[in-house]
Amino acid sequence: MATDPKTKTVYQLVSVVVTMGALAWAAVPFYDWFCSVTGFGGTPGVATSADSEILDKTIKVRFDASLERDMPWEFKPEVPEMTLRIGEEGLAFYEAYNPTDKPVAGQASYNVAPYSAGAYFSKIECFCFTEQVLEPGERVMMPVSFFVDPEIVDDPEAKFTSHITLSYTFYEIDLPEAEQAALELKSDDATSLN
């Protein structure tokens, strides 16, 4: 039985729209995965430890902090830069402060420059791996431990890198459910007392 040409065209168009929608939906997680695996776009890798060889060559790591528009926190690195040997584990701290009168949740996105060094910059532990909630007036020091993989010296594009900049941008996110429920309960208690 032959199908009507108009019906066939509608089925083809619907399948194209569904396929394009699926590809668009999968693009962001796939790109994030690709960048974290390859270091493309300056995305650093994640490691369990710095169990690699430590070279005599040093590299300077600069620390940068910024806030997305409307994020009410104050956020800055404890020190602007540090020098360490390639392969050596470094530990840096970032300070965050919530000057508001309400809890604020945040998540940090990060990047490494130059991009060619991103594949060799590995984080062992980082505050950016989880969301952060700061209570009103709370000030915290958040650690990031990292190392620069010695294989950087064998990469023709990255081997002459003398400075790496680790940048974080904090943006506001919705409070976790437990925090939101506690805040609503507190608000309800204050209303009932009035």
Side-chain angles (χ1 to χ4, degrees):
M1 182 166 112
T3 58
D4 177 24
K6 288 182 183 178
T7 305
K8 186 176 179 182
T9 302
V10 169
Y11 283 135
Q12 289 174 338
L13 287 174
V14 168
S15 67
V16 167
V17 169
V18 169
T19 301
M20 294 303 286
L23 290 173
W25 175 80
V28 171
F30 180 74
Y31 181 77
D32 288 344
W33 169 81
F34 175 77
C35 289
S36 66
V37 169
T38 64
F40 181 78
T43 302
V46 177
T48 55
S49 67
D51 57 359
S52 59
E53 170 187 13
I54 297 175
L55 306 180
D56 285 333
K57 183 177 179 183
T58 61
I59 195 159
K60 193 170 285 192
V61 180
R62 294 180 179 148
F63 304 101
D64 181 50
S66 62
L67 298 168
E68 186 179 61
R69 184 184 318 198
D70 299 329
M71 176 57 160
W73 290 1
E74 294 173 13
F75 178 56
K76 65 182 181 180
E78 180 186 36
V79 296
E81 64 183 29
M82 69 173 54
T83 301
L84 61 145
R85 293 183 298 163
I86 294 176
E88 177 183 18
E89 185 175 332
L91 178 63
F93 290 89
Y94 280 76
E95 180 181 315
Y97 170 63
N98 178 5
T100 71
D101 60 355
K102 63 183 176 69
V104 176
Q107 180 75 49
S109 61
Y110 52 87
N111 200 348
V112 172
Y115 295 137
S116 58
Y120 303 102
F121 191 91
S122 295
K123 294 181 187 180
I124 299 167
E125 190 59 49
C126 182
F127 59 88
C128 61
F129 295 161
T130 59
E131 58 190 28
Q132 305 294 322
V133 178
L134 295 185
E135 296 298 324
E138 185 177 9
R139 183 180 307 272
V140 295
M141 297 299 284
M142 300 180 295
V144 55
S145 60
F146 61 92
F147 68 96
V148 178
D149 192 313
E151 289 183 12
I152 193 171
V153 299
D154 299 325
D155 185 321
E157 291 184 31
K159 69 181 177 182
F160 298 110
T161 303
S162 61
H163 294 80
I164 293 177
T165 301
L166 175 61
S167 299
Y168 289 99
T169 301
F170 251 108
Y171 56 93
E172 189 171 359
I173 59 173
D174 291 335
L175 283 172
E177 288 182 23
E179 291 278 337
Q180 186 63 37
L183 191 60
E184 289 171 3
L185 182 63
K186 190 176 179 180
S187 176
D188 290 344
D189 288 346
T191 304
S192 66
L193 291 174
N194 290 333

